Amino acid sequence: MSHFFAYISKLKYINRWGIMRNTAYENDMEHSMMVTMVTHSLCEIAQRVFKKDVDTGKAVLMAMYHETGEVITGDLPTPIKYYNKEIFKSFKDIECIATKTIYDMLPEELKSGYSFMLDNSDCIERRAVKAADKICAYLKCVEEMKLGNMEFSKAKDRIKEQIDALKMPEADYWMKVFSKSFELTIDELN
């Protein structure tokens, strides 16, 4: 018997942005879905607009499972995770152990199909997921501010700077073409 998917299903109980007042709560499963969609679009932009060689399928799978370890660790707030280099390195080590623990729950004959979960290389697909993760954090800030929650204003500015610092033309393209729509109401989108 494998507990792999039973653990993965618990992502819906891991709330994000734990030390900030949220108007609209977001869990890891919802976040992972949005990161997956943005990752897919970043790969399409990279391929079709900037003629880059990207394995979209690999990137999308990496995005889908990118928060797996949080079923064990929970979502550590960014200010804590990045407080200093030692904490960041220790937490990354803990995340890797947690992800491997979940991965090891797979039946042996399926593990090769999920080995991307353990791939921490600095490949173009991993960079796409990281960019998508940042873009989704930015969109969360926009959503909160649209609902009148100014608690997210500094985070929004900081995350926008981080996206710009990526120097990824596909991320810049995404922000230019898609991000402003998130500031609009449903009536304004029509």
Side-chain angles (χ1 to χ4, degrees), residues 74-146:
D75 181 43
L76 189 63
T78 297
I80 297 167
K81 192 185 302 186
Y82 293 96
Y83 184 75
N84 66 36
K85 290 178 185 174
E86 292 82 22
I87 289 175
F88 179 73
K89 184 191 177 320
S90 295
F91 187 71
K92 282 297 174 191
D93 292 344
I94 290 167
E95 267 186 341
C96 287
I97 292 166
T99 300
K100 179 140 179 14
T101 299
I102 304 292
Y103 168 82
D104 284 340
M105 292 177 185
L106 283 162
E108 205 58 47
E109 61 272 17
L110 297 181
K111 284 185 177 179
S112 65
Y114 291 81
S115 60
F116 61 85
M117 292 174 63
L118 306 177
D119 179 2
N120 289 315
S121 64
D122 185 33
C123 58
I124 191 168
E125 294 82 10
R126 174 79 50 215
R127 288 192 303 274
V129 174
K130 287 181 180 178
D133 200 28
K134 295 250 181 253
I135 289 170
C136 290
Y138 176 84
L139 297 176
K140 167 64 174 168
C141 294
V142 168
E143 175 186 30
E144 286 292 330
M145 291 180 65
K146 190 168 72 173

Side-chain angles (χ1 to χ4, degrees), residues 47-60:
Q47 289 175 351
R48 297 173 191 280
V49 178
F50 299 104
K51 309 304 180 205
K52 293 183 179 181
D53 185 25
V54 183
D55 183 342
T56 302
K58 178 182 178 182
V60 165

Side-chain angles (χ1 to χ4, degrees), residues 160-171:
K160 177 65 167 81
E161 288 173 5
Q162 292 170 351
I163 294 167
D164 293 343
L166 293 172
K167 304 283 188 230
M168 283 181 73
E170 52 270 38

